[in-house]
Amino acid sequence: MEPIDIGGDSAHPVGEGVAAVGDERPARLTRLAWPLAAFWLVAWVTTVALLIANRSAIHAIEDADPVDVILPIGFAVIGTLLAARKPRNPTGWIFLSIAILGALSGVSTQYVFRSSNIAPLPLTAWVGWVHDPLNWLVFPAGLATFLFLLFPDGHLPSRRWRWMAWFAVLVVCVGFGFLVFQTSIQLAGSPSIPSPLGSIAVVDMNNGAPGVIWVVGLAVIVTAMAGTVVRMRRSSGELRQQLRWLAFAAALTAVAMVGLVGAYAVGLNPPNMAFDAILVLGYGVAVPVSCGIAILKHGLYELDVVISKTVVYTVLAAFFTVVYLAIVVGIGTAIGSTHSSFLTVLAAATIAVAFNPVRDRAKRFANRVVYGERASPYEVLSEFSERVAETYSVEDVLPRMATLLGQGTGARDATVWLRVGGELRPSASWGSGGSKPAPILMPDAELPVIADASKVAPVRHRDELLGALTVTSSPGRRTGSSTTWRPRPGWCCGTYGSPRSCARTSKSSGHRGNAW
């Protein structure tokens, strides 16, 4: 929660404040995220296009290799947003790398399938040769393991987990070498292909000791999943809420994988699609969805605004498409003319007339998706700014500011504190109706520790502490993201007329002493 400067001349313009936040990001990494996302999109579209082109030769669902088609989607969306927004956090780059490697694996599978079943294509052996090493970088001991180890803050749970991280790296390196030099390549729906390396490919992954590396890799990722569950159970507050859904998805996926391996070990013969189903439903769907819930529900990475705008643009794009198809294509087909300029103009006019109402409804829908039942902070702030400019007295402003904090963040309690002499006194509160906090002494005129407050924002004027804004979240619920706590510099000043107006409020409320 950042300090709020309400000074006039000392306040920075809005644009400079945004630039300052942006300067914290490594510019080169931020610019790299979107080209990588575009590269993933090209690879994934190529996979889908080849899959559609190969449909005549696909006779079973395992021939389509759904893992490489479905799994990258959720990871790509979340990874792009995280990498662009928080480039210093490795979690976003892990998500994006999983998506890219998964899409490239899909291209390899579908290319080899087409060459083997429909028409020969050049470099088939080399294209197939890269498939298994690419997959090994992701699963089981690769990026998939580090996703569970590093989510959500990009750091290992503790120093004791360093051995696991280094062991996972060792398993990845050994397995990668085995797969590069394996004697034959077996892809879904295609016959076995000899390695293009020829005589130097001497590793038999299907028979002998090298195949054990898969069991070791599965043990590594199951340990990382179990670590996520243990970390969730030992944590508290926001971290526990952020990890809850991922821990649930990890537990289900780990149990399913261990059960499948156990079934093979006792001589059972599970269906061929069992492992792919676990990957798709557990790792490809449950894990990205659980991380998405953590981002939306608990404000991770300050992505609530980005996701809200994305939802708005998506709804608008869908509306434009539906209107155009309904008028130009639908009506045009009915009257026997799909190239009528009149219908095109009519569609454009309809979009122009309905644009603002649809946009407003799209914004409300996006805010409901992102913020849930409570209003978005920007709606609350706008309503507050409009009303405060009317006839409210200074005595009404602080209670309305407390209401703004509570409604905008979904907190249990919100309090506006004013500095009066050597004390910090609660001047207005909003929330669950508990007892009013007691004044707090301010040693050395610095902001003291405020007990039970989930977030604290000091309010200053020209480096002089005037007071503070605090919120207390409900048990098991996180208050709004840090974006909520960045009011425009000077908005408090515009509300009060001048920073000293709060002093008059303090004195008129019965406080004694020199306010600030």
Side-chain angles (χ1 to χ4, degrees), residues 133-391:
L134 288 180
N135 277 346
W136 184 260
L137 293 177
V138 175
F139 186 88
L143 296 174
T145 293
F146 283 91
L147 171 61
F148 291 104
L149 291 177
L150 300 179
F151 186 85
D153 58 2
H155 297 90
L156 293 172
S158 66
R159 291 186 177 182
R160 289 181 298 178
W161 283 90
R162 288 183 178 179
W163 69 269
M164 171 60 69
W166 283 112
F167 183 70
V169 171
L170 176 63
V171 173
V172 169
C173 292
V174 173
F176 187 86
F178 284 166
L179 293 171
V180 166
F181 294 101
Q182 64 180 333
T183 55
S184 61
I185 303 157
Q186 180 68 60
L187 303 186
S190 302
S192 180
I193 303 173
S195 172
L197 297 181
S199 59
I200 64 174
V202 295
V203 178
D204 186 357
M205 296 296 295
N206 297 321
N207 300 289
V212 179
I213 197 68
W214 280 99
V215 178
V216 177
L218 289 174
V220 169
I221 192 172
V222 169
T223 303
M225 290 175 172
T228 301
V229 176
V230 172
R231 183 160 48 129
M232 185 273 295
R233 292 179 60 86
R234 293 180 177 178
S235 61
S236 59
E238 293 180 3
L239 180 60
R240 183 182 181 89
Q241 300 304 317
Q242 293 163 2
L243 289 174
R244 177 189 295 177
W245 286 94
L246 180 61
F248 180 71
L252 289 181
T253 306
V255 170
M257 286 196 301
V258 171
L260 185 64
V261 173
Y264 282 116
V266 298
L268 298 179
N269 188 23
N272 294 331
M273 278 296 297
F275 191 74
D276 286 349
I278 293 174
L279 287 182
V280 170
L281 298 178
Y283 194 71
V285 176
V287 169
V289 168
S290 63
C291 294
I293 291 175
I295 291 170
L296 287 175
K297 187 174 181 179
H298 303 291
L300 276 174
Y301 313 118
E302 303 174 9
L303 289 179
D304 48 358
V305 177
V306 177
I307 296 174
S308 179
K309 290 182 178 180
T310 302
V311 173
V312 172
Y313 296 148
T314 302
V315 171
L316 289 175
F319 168 72
F320 295 158
T321 303
V322 169
V323 169
Y324 183 85
L325 292 177
I327 295 178
V328 177
V329 178
I331 298 178
T333 302
I335 65 176
S337 176
T338 57
H339 301 285
S340 173
S341 58
F342 171 77
L343 293 178
T344 303
V345 173
L346 178 61
T350 302
I351 291 173
V353 171
F355 178 79
N356 285 332
V358 173
R359 182 182 59 180
D360 292 340
R361 286 172 173 78
K363 287 181 178 179
R364 288 197 292 269
F365 173 73
N367 289 334
R368 178 58 61 88
V369 170
V370 174
Y371 298 106
E373 295 179 356
R374 65 184 174 93
S376 74
Y378 304 97
E379 291 176 340
V380 178
L381 182 57
S382 298
E383 182 180 358
F384 175 78
S385 301
E386 292 172 0
R387 292 184 177 181
V388 81
E390 297 174 356
T391 59

Side-chain angles (χ1 to χ4, degrees), residues 87-110:
R88 290 180 178 175
N89 190 328
T91 305
W93 299 107
I94 290 175
F95 271 91
L96 192 53
S97 298
I98 291 173
I100 292 174
L101 293 175
L104 292 176
S105 174
V107 172
S108 174
T109 300
Q110 298 303 324

Side-chain angles (χ1 to χ4, degrees), residues 21 25 30 33 80-88 301-306 483 486:
V21 175
R25 308 173 189 162
T30 301
T80 301
L81 293 176
L82 294 189
R85 189 78 171 177
K86 295 288 183 180
R88 290 180 178 175
Y301 313 118
E302 303 174 9
L303 289 179
D304 48 358
V305 177
V306 177
T483 306
R486 293 176 182 169

